Amino acid sequence: MGRILITRKITLHMVGAILLATAIVPGSLLWMSKQQDKQAASTSAAMIASSVETLGRQTQTMTIDYSWRQAAVDNLAAANSDWVSANMGSAVTVNGVADIMAIVGPDGDVLYAWGAGFGDASDISLVPRNVVDGMLATLDDVPPARIEARHGFVKLNGRLALLATARISPAEPETLTRDARLSTLIMGLYMTPDRIAQLGETFPVSYTHL
């Protein structure tokens, strides 16, 4: 209960969760309608997994866009909370490109966090410790000199969320050593009924029924 689930690949359990969520949302796509045979079911599941994995890669790209910034490194070091809120937290509070964001310091402490629907102010209680630790662990094998993001699915605030994480890196990360002390960005999306339905819109009509 409350245990974090992080995986780099979409498992059959993840596919099942999305299928179930879709099935109970009024007006959403009815997956695998009239596709009773095992081959059709397998194909549909693979398509769902592929679509969710694509969304995961897109979330990773977004996270790198916000984290690979010299200005972010400098303003975090200077504890310039106004800049951090206006240029990073605004991804949630103003632009709406993410539903959740947290900035974790080099020591692992959450410095800032914002959530959609929770106002403009930072609230570090929005991201539980187990979620932070789980996401940080996905970067254990990524050296600081390499720009790379990882993503995974977690239970967050009672909802399923797709989160990605990357180190907040300077413009020229190749100069960093393995013991470099960097902050980390965690950001992502809730898998809402609307977002799940949007995934289905990428499928051929032969596998869905409106």
Side-chain angles (χ1 to χ4, degrees):
M1 188 73 175
R3 181 170 59 90
I4 188 169
L5 171 62
I6 293 187
T7 178
R8 293 182 61 194
K9 295 182 179 180
I10 308 303
T11 64
L12 289 177
H13 292 296
M14 184 64 237
V15 174
I18 294 174
L19 284 170
L20 177 60
T22 304
I24 63 176
V25 177
S28 66
L29 296 177
L30 300 179
W31 304 93
M32 295 156 54
S33 177
K34 299 181 181 179
Q35 304 292 328
Q36 301 299 323
D37 60 278
K38 293 183 179 180
Q39 182 177 359
S42 176
T43 300
S44 295
M47 292 172 67
I48 296 168
S50 176
S51 293
V52 176
E53 186 66 17
T54 297
L55 182 60
R57 290 193 296 270
Q58 292 170 346
T59 306
Q60 288 181 186
T61 299
M62 175 177 67
T63 304
I64 289 175
D65 287 345
Y66 276 88
S67 62
W68 189 9
R69 305 167 70 184
Q70 185 65 53
V73 174
D74 295 341
N75 281 279
L76 282 170
N80 187 347
S81 59
D82 289 341
W83 187 95
V84 174
S85 294
N87 293 275
M88 300 184 77
S90 59
V92 175
T93 61
V94 178
N95 303 325
V97 298
D99 295 327
I100 193 79
M101 174 184 283
I103 297 174
V104 184
D107 293 326
D109 295 330
V110 179
L111 305 177
Y112 304 91
W114 300 269
F118 288 90
D120 295 340
S122 169
D123 181 357
I124 63 174
S125 69
L126 290 173
V127 185
R129 185 73 249 173
N130 68 319
V131 171
V132 172
D133 290 343
M135 294 306 297
L136 293 179
T138 67
L139 295 174
D140 283 349
D141 63 340
V142 180
R146 190 167 80 215
I147 300 299
E148 184 172 333
R150 299 288 174 83
H151 75 272
F153 290 87
V154 305
K155 190 71 174 295
L156 182 61
N157 300 323
R159 292 185 283 177
L160 183 66
L162 167 60
L163 299 182
T165 185
R167 294 190 181 93
I168 298 174
S169 302
E172 298 180 354
E174 61 273 10
T175 62
L176 296 172
T177 60
R178 181 165 282 279
D179 59 353
R181 290 171 54 78
L182 301 174
S183 295
T184 303
L185 177 65
I186 300 170
M187 64 188 302
L189 307 166
Y190 286 115
M191 296 301 289
T192 62
D194 285 346
R195 190 161 282 125
I196 293 171
Q198 287 171 8
L199 292 177
E201 293 174 2
T202 66
F203 299 167
V205 294
S206 58
Y207 292 97
T208 59
H209 177 71
L210 295 177

